[in-house]
Amino acid sequence: MEQLTPLINALKRYWKADLRRLTFLAALVMALVTARTTSGPRLALSLGSIAS
């Protein structure tokens, strides 16, 4: 979660959303960058505990 904080803060400037939604969006963006794919199962592995 600590690594998502800067991205969450940046997203707050553009979207007025609940912190849970911003956290998920930030995690999804990080998973896309990390996994370098849009494959659902691979993204789920990259999301880790936030996907459960």
Side-chain angles (χ1 to χ4, degrees), residues 6-37:
L7 184 53
I8 292 170
N9 290 334
L11 290 172
K12 280 182 185 178
R13 295 183 206 162
Y14 301 101
W15 285 289
K16 293 184 180 188
D18 178 319
L19 182 60
R20 294 171 297 164
R21 294 176 194 259
L22 290 173
T23 301
F24 176 75
L25 181 59
L28 183 61
V29 168
M30 292 299 290
L32 284 167
V33 171
T34 303
R36 290 183 266 159
T37 184

